[in-house]
Amino acid sequence: MQHGLPMDRDVTPFDPPARVAELRSTRPVSPMLFPDGHEGWLITGYEAVRAALADTRFSSRQDLGILHVPYPVPGMPEQTEPSPQVPGLFLAMDPPDHTRLRRKLTGAFTVRRMKALEEHIIEITERQLDELASLTPPVDLVQAFALPVPSLVICEMLGVPYDDRESFQHNFSRFMERDIDLEEKMAVWVALNTFLAELVTAKRAEPGDDLLSDLARDEDLSIEELVGMSFLLLLAGHETTANMLALGTFALLEHPDQLAALRENPALIPDAVEELLRYLAVGDIFFRYAAEDIEFFGETIREGSTVVVSLLAGNHDPAKFEDADKLDVTRNARGHLSFGHGIHQCLGQQLARIEMRAGFEGLLRRFPSLHLAVEAREVKLKTDMNIYGVHALPVTWAQDA
C-alpha cells in the first residue's frame, strides 16, 4: 500500500514522481494510506483517470466525505466531520446543484465568444510584451509577463478592478500554499470573500458591462453564490494560465531542440500548447469521494473513500502517449487530461488556450535570444503549492545596440 502521495517531481522539474510512475505501471488504481490513517485510493493510469473523472459515482462533494489530504498540513486539525459545501463553488458540487450554477456560465465561455475575444487578448499580450521589452534584463518573467497577461484578461472580462490585483493575487497565492497554518488560511479566505462580496454587491446595485455584472443581474443567484462563483473564476482565470506560461517557457528553455523547432515553424504553436498542457499538468491532483461501493478497474472502492486522481500521471502514461515523458511539440497531444474530463471539465479552457498561444508566440517572436539568467537548478519550483509552476523565472536576452 502506498503511504501518502509522493508530490515532488523528482526525475526532472516536469515529470511525475518516480514512485507515481512505478505505481501506474504496476497498479494504476492503488490503495493509499493517508497521513491521518484513512485508507483511500490513488488513480494514475490514463484510462482509469479519465473514467474516474467521468463516473458520477465519484462525487466532488466534500460534504459527502472527510477531506484526507495526502500530505501533512501544519496547524490543520484532524477532520472528524465532512466539510460543509460552500455556496457557489460548483467545482465541489454534483448535479443538480453543479448543473444549475455551471449553466449560468456556459454562454460566456463558448468557442465562438472566445474566438471573438482573441484579437483583444493578442493586443493585451502585445502591450505586455512592449512593457517587457522596455525593461533592462535580467527580469523575472513571472512578474513581468506570465502573471500580468491572464490577470489583465480575467480582470477585464469579470469586471474586477485591475488596481486590486496585487492584493487578490497575494491572497490567492497564500491560499494555494500547502504549508500554511489553519489560522492564516482562514484569514486569507475571509479577506478574499470580503473583497468579492463587496464587489458583487456593488455590481448587483449598479451592473456594468462585464461577466460578474451579468451574473449579478440574475436574481436566482444569492450574494453568497455570486461570491463563490467569483472566487472560482478569478482564481482559475489567472493562476493556472500564469503558471503554464512561466513553467512552459522554462520547459522550452530546457529543451532547446523543441524551442528551435517552434522558432523555425511558429505554425506549431497550437500543437505545442496542447503538448505543454499534457506534459506539465500544473493542476495535477483532483479529489473525489466514493458515493457508493464501486467496482473499478478490478478494485473495490468502498463508499466514503477518498480518491486522489493524478492528471499528471495519466498524461504521462505510455499506454496513451508514445515516449510520454518526452516533450515533443510536434505531437498530437489532444485527449490530454489537463483540463479535466466529464462534467467538471474546465469551462475556461478555450480562453486559456488563446492566452497561451498568444503568449508563447509573442515571446518567441519578440525575444529570439531569450534564455535563463540563472542555472536551471536555481529556479524555485512551486513544490509547496497546490498548483505547480515556478515562483520566479529569471530570464535575460540580447538587447539591440
Side-chain angles (χ1 to χ4, degrees):
M1 178 179 291
Q2 171 65 29
H3 289 254
L5 177 61
M7 299 298 290
D8 292 343
R9 307 188 184 200
D10 51 9
V11 179
T12 76
F14 315 113
D15 297 324
R19 178 61 180 147
V20 169
E22 180 186 339
L23 285 171
R24 184 188 57 217
S25 66
T26 57
R27 196 174 179 182
V29 180
S30 305
M32 174 176 161
L33 186 66
F34 291 81
D36 64 1
H38 170 73
E39 292 187 11
W41 294 84
L42 171 62
I43 301 179
T44 54
Y46 177 89
E47 292 298 339
V49 168
R50 195 171 188 273
L53 293 175
D55 193 329
T56 55
R57 297 174 299 173
F58 291 108
S59 173
S60 297
R61 288 176 53 181
Q62 293 181 13
D63 62 328
L64 291 186
I66 297 171
L67 178 60
H68 302 272
V69 293
Y71 38 80
V73 179
M76 190 70 74
E78 182 178 336
Q79 285 186 275
T80 57
E81 297 293 334
S83 302
Q85 278 201 290
V86 178
L89 285 179
F90 57 89
L91 190 66
M93 293 180 180
D94 296 337
D97 298 323
H98 169 270
T99 309
R100 179 179 73 88
L101 295 176
R102 183 176 167 115
R103 193 172 284 156
K104 307 281 187 185
L105 290 166
T106 50
F109 289 97
T110 61
V111 173
R112 179 180 59 82
R113 186 163 291 190
M114 290 300 101
K115 190 68 178 173
L117 284 174
E118 186 164 7
E119 187 174 328
H120 184 52
I121 291 169
I122 292 172
E123 289 174 5
I124 289 173
T125 305
E126 290 297 320
R127 285 201 302 269
Q128 199 59 41
L129 287 165
D130 290 340
E131 288 283 326
L132 180 61
S134 73
L135 301 175
T136 301
V139 302
D140 173 16
L141 195 74
V142 173
Q143 294 301 322
F145 181 71
L147 188 55
V149 167
S151 295
L152 281 160
V153 171
I154 200 64
C155 282
E156 189 172 311
M157 188 174 179
L158 297 183
V160 176
Y162 188 61
D163 288 345
D164 291 327
R165 69 192 183 281
E166 288 188 11
S167 175
F168 74 69
Q169 285 170 356
H170 171 76
N171 283 328
F172 273 124
S173 180
R174 291 294 288 152
F175 186 77
M176 296 305 292
E177 286 185 28
R178 291 190 198 130
D179 297 331
I180 179 174
D181 64 46
L182 183 61
E183 185 176 348
E184 184 171 358
K185 196 175 189 86
M186 290 309 299
V188 169
W189 171 260
V190 169
L192 285 167
N193 277 268
T194 300
F195 164 67
L196 292 170
E198 291 173 354
L199 183 64
V200 298
T201 300
K203 289 185 181 296
R204 176 152 280 181
E206 294 185 42
D209 184 21
D210 55 71
L211 179 53
L212 291 189
S213 291
D214 291 345
L215 291 171
R217 290 186 181 96
D218 190 337
E219 295 294 335
D220 180 50
L221 294 171
S222 67
I223 291 295
E224 292 76 18
E225 287 176 325
L226 287 170
V227 168
M229 295 172 79
S230 303
F231 185 98
L232 277 182
L233 290 168
L234 192 54
L235 173 63
H238 81 275
E239 188 74 23
T240 51
T241 306
N243 281 295
M244 273 301 305
L245 284 170
L247 189 66
T249 301
F250 182 29
L252 289 172
L253 293 176
E254 284 295 282
H255 294 81
D257 58 328
Q258 301 301 300
L259 185 61
L262 290 181
R263 292 197 194 283
E264 185 178 333
N265 184 9
L268 288 173
I269 291 285
D271 284 337
V273 165
E274 299 304 316
E275 171 67 349
L276 286 165
L277 283 162
R278 178 200 72 83
Y279 184 62
L280 300 174
V282 297
D284 176 15
I285 298 298
F286 278 41
F287 286 94
R288 292 292 185 265
Y289 309 92
E292 58 186 78
D293 288 353
I294 303 169
E295 295 297 325
F296 188 77
F297 283 73
E299 307 286 354
T300 301
I301 299 178
R302 296 296 180 192
E303 181 178 357
S305 295
T306 302
V307 178
V308 177
V309 183
S310 174
L311 307 190
L312 179 67
N315 279 347
H316 281 244
D317 190 342
K320 173 63 179 179
F321 299 103
E322 187 176 353
D323 291 326
D325 288 338
K326 177 183 176 182
L327 177 65
D328 179 2
V329 297
T330 67
R331 183 197 305 272
N332 179 0
R334 284 164 180 79
H336 67 75
L337 301 164
S338 293
F339 288 122
H341 182 62
I343 63 170
H344 289 285
Q345 192 171 39
C346 177
L347 256 177
Q349 59 182 283
Q350 299 306 331
L351 177 64
R353 285 185 168 104
I354 291 169
E355 291 172 345
M356 282 184 274
R357 289 198 295 261
F360 289 124
E361 188 279 327
L363 201 59
L364 269 57
R365 169 172 43 83
R366 297 281 295 271
F367 300 90
S369 61
L370 188 75
H371 58 280
L372 289 178
V374 297
E375 295 291 329
R377 65 177 180 275
E378 296 177 46
V379 175
K380 189 179 179 187
L381 300 164
K382 288 188 174 179
T383 54
D384 57 336
M385 308 290 280
N386 287 320
I387 296 179
Y388 191 62
V390 294
H391 285 286
L393 190 69
V395 295
T396 189
W397 59 88
Q399 292 182 286
D400 294 334

